[in-house]
Amino acid sequence: MGDDWDPESAQRALTAVVDGVHTLRGDALLIAGDVFDNARISDAVLEFFVSEIARAVVPTVVLPGNHDLFDASSLYHRSPFSDSPDNLHIISGTRGQTLTFPELTLEIWGRAMDSHTPAFRPLAGIPSKRNGQWSVAMAHGHFHFLDDTEERSSPIRPHEIAEASCDYIALGHWERFEDVSQNGVTAFYSGSPMGASPNRGNVAVNVVDLDPQASRAVVVSQVELPMAGASSMNLPIAADN
């Protein structure tokens, strides 16, 4: 949100995401970074975002990414977020932070990005122990495939995913939907709502079902829904306890 390319479409995409939370009966909404294009956008855009998240009702967790860093000048310090709704949770721990939602038997960990450099490791500090609840991590960065040779900022290595002690990792930074699961640990990029859908009139989100009674406890699917106002959602999670 807040770019100069098509700001109205970005707002309609957010509305479609929130509508999708209700349509898909999501228990939580996770947005893995780059909600906003830059730190210079107007308060009006921030106020619109906050009002839409309030409409989502369910717990909504936002992880700052490289476009909306959590540094001294972060837009998350500005007044529209000072009186944000109770369901909005901004991950602010730059060395890692865990949020607990007992009603969902869910814990969410993330590390807010304060500097988009090769030294920043999005999964560094992820907890190594579980407490019996669903464990979800959020990370914003570039996944390095085994044959990658170029060093990128905010790297996520295959072994970091493989060694993570969690049920699911929600990834942000790439525009596209991508499965980068490793060694039984489920990890997906959702892509941006508009960027991940080939249909300009739709938005795309990842729906993550957590169900201990199913043959596969974690099931991820990409779902497309009409963009708000179109004629023809980043991430609702349905956690079945």
Side-chain angles (χ1 to χ4, degrees):
M1 300 183 66
D3 66 5
D4 296 327
W5 174 61
D6 192 356
E8 292 184 1
S9 288
Q11 290 190 338
R12 289 192 289 117
L14 175 63
T15 297
V17 170
V18 172
D19 288 345
V21 172
H22 298 293
T23 302
L24 300 171
R25 296 186 297 174
D27 293 310
L29 171 64
L30 308 190
I31 307 180
D34 290 354
V35 180
F36 305 103
D37 183 64
N38 57 69
R40 304 179 302 278
I41 64 177
S42 69
D43 279 358
V45 174
L46 304 185
E47 290 165 357
F48 176 81
F49 173 78
V50 169
S51 67
E52 284 296 285
I53 295 306
R55 194 171 62 82
V57 179
V58 301
T60 298
V61 180
V62 174
L63 176 72
N66 62 295
H67 279 264
D68 50 2
L69 293 169
F70 197 86
D71 55 12
S73 60
S74 175
L75 52 77
Y76 292 110
H77 297 310
R78 287 163 55 181
S79 57
F81 289 102
S82 63
D83 190 27
S84 56
D86 291 341
N87 69 313
L88 176 58
H89 307 269
I90 309 295
I91 291 180
S92 59
T94 56
R95 294 189 177 183
Q97 178 182 355
T98 299
L99 302 176
T100 302
F101 302 94
E103 70 279 12
L104 299 175
T105 64
L106 172 68
E107 286 190 346
I108 297 174
W109 177 92
R111 185 181 181 195
M113 186 181 294
D114 58 355
S115 177
H116 185 46
T117 67
F120 181 82
R121 293 171 50 213
L123 286 175
I126 188 171
S128 59
K129 294 183 179 180
R130 304 281 299 273
N131 66 2
Q133 301 191 76
W134 289 111
S135 178
V136 171
M138 300 175 68
H140 189 92
H142 178 79
F143 178 79
H144 279 257
F145 291 99
L146 294 177
D147 58 353
D148 282 353
T149 58
E150 182 182 359
E151 184 67 19
R152 302 290 293 271
S153 294
S154 307
I156 298 172
R157 308 288 181 181
H159 73 88
E160 293 180 296
I161 293 178
E163 296 167 4
S165 179
C166 59
D167 298 295
Y168 179 67
I169 303 178
L171 297 172
H173 192 47
W174 290 0
E175 291 288 317
R176 67 183 188 271
F177 172 83
E178 189 77 30
D179 179 0
V180 295
S181 303
Q182 304 289 320
N183 195 36
V185 179
T186 306
F188 278 77
Y189 284 92
S190 64
S192 67
M194 289 189 291
S197 173
N199 186 338
R200 195 72 178 94
N202 287 0
V203 295
V205 295
N206 284 6
V207 174
V208 183
D209 288 302
L210 307 176
D211 185 354
Q213 305 302 321
S215 57
R216 293 174 56 206
V218 182
V219 177
V220 182
S221 56
Q222 187 188 50
V223 174
E224 291 195 29
L225 290 175
M227 187 184 293
S231 59
S232 356
M233 191 174 65
N234 129 335
L235 186 117
I237 285 188
D240 297 324
N241 299 312

